[in-house]
Amino acid sequence: MEEKKGFATRLIHGGAAPCSKTGSLIPPLYQTSTFVFENMEQGARRFAGEEEGFIYTRLGNPTVQQLEEVIAELEGAEAGLAFGSGMAAISSVLLGLVRTGDHILCADGVYGCTYGLLTMLQDRFEVQSNYVDMSDEEAIRQGIQPNTRVIFLETPINPTMKIADLKKISGIAKEAGAIVVVDNTFATPYGQRPIEYGADVVIHSATKYIGGHGDVIAGLAVGRKEEMDSIRMSTLKDMGGVLSPFDAWLLLRGLKTLEVRMDRHRMNAQAVAEYLDAHPKVTRVVYPGLASYPQRELAAEQMSCFGGVISFQVEGGLEGARRVLDGVQLCQLTVSLGEVTTLIQHPATMTHSVIPEADRLRMGVTDDLIRISVGLESVEDIIADLKNALS
Ligand SMILES: *Cc1c(COP(=O)(O)O)cnc(C)c1O
């Protein structure tokens, strides 16, 4: 068997080979909605699935397919799917896996819109869900029900940065006959590959680190071929949350620099986390690279890069947080993360505001909590901006 190349090499050479017709180094962008058949017979064969080939871009497109193959390879999965947003990926995967009467065991503190989706599934389609701290093995075991079909988690989870033990949870799920779906947006396949630890499906909001430049909304999912084919032919095709070829092309471009970007995100985040940790007005900093991080051992075991997201709490509650967020100038006050630009936001009133207050506080999303996605600017400038805002 051919030896597997290094990660950075696979990022850069893993897309399609140079175009054999023109020699174009970068594969062409197939910005088309439909594909012409040679004759009626061929069209019929394609629709019957008797012949490989493209039909219509919602059912498949060469540029989008390239991206699907690359992400599957990077995550160590059999097959991949691309979607028009991270939420399209999450909703299509979950709707493709569950039916009325099933139960989803979900991580406490999950992305706000995922929480919103699960609430809708419960209220309108009788798919039950409940939430547990995925770093608490006993709570997970107690949360499993006979009808648990999916265990859904993020690790590290946003914005509390708690991590879940992927190997342990995958083992519990196997015993229970449930499927483990991991939202791997924060770690990226460079930082963590959940399939290697027994997870079944991995999802990304490719809007974040995979695209990396803040110019695309996109989602990805990878897993076993059988499950991905079934999702492609049901919820992806018929609900229609597909990715545009141009956005797939931008993601293929962004992916080439994933490793160098992630390494610099991590270095900058480490320096910012250490600065904040020593600041008298900062009461707590959570970043897996800090010595004070409670799950340091597990983080080192299953993650190879901690990424650029830090959560911290400041003195003065909501007002204290307001002074920092209104005081920054270089750091941009906005949601989202994983971009070249440093982004700062207030989870309690922004990304996690849909979660009822009692649940939100239980999940650790307090009013004094700030999330920063450390970008790729010169780190001394990021620190100077925070220093100024904190004073
Ligand atoms: C942003 C995000 C999503 C949603 O992705 P979109 O691309 O905005 O639809 C889901 N999960 C996590 C962890 C995210 O950060």
Side-chain angles (χ1 to χ4, degrees):
M1 213 172 89
E2 200 187 339
E3 205 175 319
K4 210 168 185 180
K5 297 267 195 312
F7 195 81
T9 307
R10 283 150 55 213
L11 286 172
I12 291 164
H13 294 268
C19 175
S20 59
K21 277 202 203 110
T22 62
S24 164
L25 172 65
I26 300 302
L29 161 61
Y30 292 92
Q31 187 74 14
T32 182
S33 43
T34 196
F35 298 84
V36 178
F37 308 128
E38 278 169 15
N39 50 41
M40 188 177 129
E41 187 53 36
Q42 184 183 50
R45 281 200 308 273
R46 295 234 175 127
F47 269 91
E50 292 160 11
E51 178 186 299
E52 295 265 320
F54 296 97
I55 298 175
Y56 181 67
T57 282
R58 182 160 41 74
L59 315 184
N61 170 284
T63 309
V64 176
Q65 184 182 353
Q66 239 173 60
L67 173 68
E68 291 173 337
E69 287 169 5
V70 172
I71 189 67
E73 195 277 331
L74 295 173
E75 287 283 4
E78 288 174 12
L81 299 173
F83 299 85
S85 70
M87 284 316 303
I90 293 170
S91 57
S92 297
V93 165
L94 287 180
L95 284 167
L97 291 174
V98 299
R99 57 181 64 212
T100 296
D102 283 348
H103 171 251
I104 300 172
L105 187 66
C106 185
D108 240 357
V110 79
Y111 186 71
C113 297
T114 304
Y115 180 90
L117 172 73
L118 293 189
T119 306
M120 182 187 73
L121 287 178
Q122 179 152 299
D123 292 349
R124 298 180 50 193
F125 300 98
E126 289 169 35
V127 175
Q128 296 174 299
S129 48
N130 66 313
Y131 296 86
V132 293
D133 178 350
M134 287 284 170
S135 59
D136 180 345
E137 184 181 347
E138 200 40 49
I140 299 166
R141 288 192 186 278
Q142 280 177 6
I144 300 260
Q145 300 179 9
N147 58 341
T148 301
R149 169 86 173 126
V150 171
I151 298 181
F152 187 98
L153 62 102
E154 284 169 36
T155 180
I157 194 153
N158 168 33
T160 53
M161 301 307 288
K162 276 188 189 171
I163 57 175
D165 188 328
L166 289 167
K167 203 181 279 174
K168 202 166 271 173
I169 293 174
S170 300
I172 295 172
K174 291 252 146 56
E175 283 169 34
I179 286 175
V180 176
V181 180
V182 178
D183 180 336
N184 202 27
T185 300
F186 273 58
T188 81
Y190 177 56
Q192 165 177 283
R193 287 176 293 281
I195 304 260
E196 291 175 2
Y197 293 85
D200 301 287
V201 178
V202 173
I203 294 179
H204 289 279
S205 168
T207 310
K208 316 294 167 57
Y209 287 113
I210 301 232
H213 294 73
D215 46 17
V216 181
I217 297 277
L220 296 165
V222 302
R224 281 183 291 274
K225 185 166 185 325
E226 192 187 335
E227 268 148 14
M228 293 299 113
D229 281 350
S230 143
I231 291 166
R232 183 191 298 284
M233 294 315 289
S234 59
T235 49
L236 175 56
K237 173 170 78 67
D238 296 342
M239 282 167 47
V242 290
L243 186 64
S244 87
F246 180 59
D247 287 345
W249 187 86
L250 283 175
L251 293 179
L252 284 163
R253 182 187 204 260
L255 265 175
K256 289 178 196 280
T257 55
L258 183 70
E259 179 168 323
V260 285
R261 283 188 289 109
M262 292 311 289
D263 281 342
R264 180 58 74 87
H265 278 297
R266 177 188 56 76
M267 280 163 59
N268 281 0
Q270 185 70 33
V272 170
E274 285 170 12
Y275 171 77
L276 291 171
D277 207 25
H279 197 287
K281 288 188 186 159
V282 175
T283 51
R284 185 160 170 258
V285 184
V286 192
Y287 180 69
L290 284 180
S292 59
Y293 183 70
Q295 296 167 281
R296 210 173 149 76
E297 214 168 290
L298 178 60
E301 188 189 306
Q302 72 184 21
M303 298 183 76
S304 49
C305 176
F306 300 141
V309 180
I310 301 169
S311 288
F312 63 103
Q313 286 164 280
V314 291
E315 279 182 356
L318 185 65
E319 278 314 306
R322 189 192 309 280
R323 279 194 290 275
V324 175
L325 291 164
D326 287 345
V328 287
Q329 288 180 313
L330 182 79
C331 302
Q332 298 296 307
L333 178 55
T334 170
V335 295
S336 200
L337 60 105
E339 299 188 7
V340 291
T341 310
T342 297
L343 312 179
I344 194 163
Q345 67 115 353
H346 187 241
T349 58
M350 298 175 185
T351 46
H352 290 66
S353 58
V354 297
I355 301 173
E357 191 179 2
D359 287 344
R360 178 167 65 72
L361 293 175
R362 180 173 44 80
M363 294 169 182
V365 184
T366 48
D367 287 344
D368 59 358
L369 184 85
I370 295 172
R371 184 186 79 190
I372 181 165
S373 167
V374 179
L376 305 182
E377 300 95 338
S378 307
V379 72
E380 56 280 10
D381 294 330
I382 303 170
I383 290 174
D385 193 39
L386 289 167
K387 181 179 180 186
N388 187 43
L390 281 160
S391 69

